[in-house]
Amino acid sequence: MKNVPITVAHGDGIGPEIMNASLHILKEAGARIDFETIEIGEAVYNKGFKGGIEDKSWESLRRTKVFYKAPITTPQGGGFKSLNVMVRTTLGLYANIRPCVSYAPFIDTKHPVMDVVIVRENEEDLYSGIEHRQTNDMVQTLKLISRPGCEKIVRYAFEYAKENNRKKVTCFTKDNIMKMTDGLFHKVFDEIAAEYSGIVNEHWIVDIGAAKMADTPEAFDVIVMPNLYGDILSDVAAQIAGSVGLAGSSNIGDQCAMFEAIHGSAPRRANQNLANPSGLFLGGIMMLVHIGQGDVAERAHNAWLKTIEDGIHTYDVYQEGVSKEKVGTKEFADAVVKRLGQKPEKLKAVKYNATVNKAATSTTSITSNTKTKKELVGVDVFLDWKGGKPDDLAVLMNKNATEGLNLAMITNRGVKVWPEGFSETFCVDHWRCRFTSKEKGKLVNHTQIVKLLEKINASGLDFIKTENLCNFDGEAGYSLIQGQ
Ligand code: NAD
């Protein structure tokens, strides 16, 4: 059988040590792979590449389509971009899979039967990095959630559950507050869940869901969630299972995939042969399954479980009275290699198919191409203004109202302050003035909006941005303000 080419990056901090240890185990287990090494991280940032990766490295990634990546150190300060976010989004790696398993009684945990897989959306939400300072007081980031984005990740979660004999998929969102963005994620979850009758589905509001997961993780199986919640809660899940140092992760797209540890480069532990290579190693196991070498993955993973069970532990999971031997990174890898061919006796042995993981290659069917009727019904004009009270602004803006458009209301940080605002409401210099059609039910056109902005500009007011108010098939495509 031909070897599969893989792009490898050794990263920063503890990265090179844990990558060498992981590759050593995978090779000794019989992985049929050829490595191409690229440089990423600190050294590349220092050469002036703002994303921490050189242009020539993309060629390797786009050709091999499989990236095995050690953690890197993200430089502090402005101007630099997160390499992880850039690789994930540029290569379309929309699904981030993070299994969080406890290994009691060998690794200390309050949750001895935990086995949760977090499926984190990887491309959207608050990670688009579209941020603006709009006024002296106010900065803004955009939370972007698309229907195709939701469909891809939710379908992936259900396909993953089906493929891996998981019984339940739970969705976490905050759609009681973010009714449009998280609301869409939840809606798509319900739609797709209906196609998988053999798998239980449920939805939790993320705050109480997170609390429940931290307290009773055995109540969950697969949990799918938007990017930010998934980022935070997968670290929580990994930590309560035993240690962030133990969790691996895969980032899957329709064409490419990336495999890594969930932890960072732990610079304080670097170059001391101390770090636990298990997270990156388990990312490597997911990589072998992905490229159809489940036989090798099974052999290596079971040897690793046996090593953990035999009490051969690195400093981060070592426990007096439970562990048998405290070892360094290299010695831990050697101990796993020594156990190749063995299976754990107390922990559950793993079993993988030798074929390519179907969930990783499942074609995503997108339903969002259905045409909707879009009608323009108004506009929100955002202003930078520090001229007085809301009523004063209303007087100014009413003067600017053009033919066909009426000032309907003014809000400050989302709170209605005109008409009939409360004097107690705290206001900053960032205002939203909502204009809607003068005649109820009459549509608005772009020319009217341009004229309105011309008048606002001529009156010396500083408009920051506008958001069009549209109905889609008659349903408001914007959040209503209280009282509207
Ligand atoms: P970290 O995950 O590197 O370390 C957190 C804690 O966990 C530290 O106490 C560390 O010693 C310990 N730890 C982590 N991995 C370990 C391992 N394998 N073995 C033993 N102990 C381990 O998080 P941090 O300190 O917040 O971040 C350090 C750097 O890593 C930062 O520059 C951050 O931006 C970067 N980072 C990179 C990635 C990535 O490349 N995927 C992810 C997260 C953070």
Side-chain angles (χ1 to χ4, degrees), residues 14 18 69-76 83-84 88 98 235 239 243-246 260-269 274-280 314-316:
I14 58 171
I18 59 173
K69 182 189 139 295
I72 61 149
T73 302
T74 315
Q76 299 291 317
L83 170 89
N84 294 323
R88 288 171 187 154
R98 298 181 159 188
D235 270 31
Q239 186 63 32
S243 162
V244 279
L246 289 179
E260 57 185 344
I262 76 160
H263 60 75
S265 60
R268 284 192 308 122
R269 306 290 178 196
L274 275 177
N276 188 347
S278 299
L280 187 60
T314 44
Y315 84 93
D316 54 318

Side-chain angles (χ1 to χ4, degrees), residues 101-108 246 276 278 281-282 300-314 317-319 321-325 327 332 335-336 339 341-350:
V101 184
S102 59
Y103 306 98
F106 307 102
I107 306 276
D108 189 30
L246 289 179
N276 188 347
S278 299
F281 166 77
L282 291 174
H301 198 164
N302 281 328
W304 178 84
L305 287 166
K306 180 81 171 89
T307 310
I308 294 292
E309 191 179 276
D310 285 348
I312 319 290
H313 294 162
T314 44
V317 290
Y318 183 86
Q319 287 177 80
V322 176
S323 307
K324 297 274 174 336
E325 201 183 329
V327 291
F332 181 81
V336 179
R339 286 164 178 77
Q342 297 182 35
K343 284 188 177 164
E345 282 149 31
K346 298 205 178 71
L347 292 170
K348 198 169 162 239
V350 291

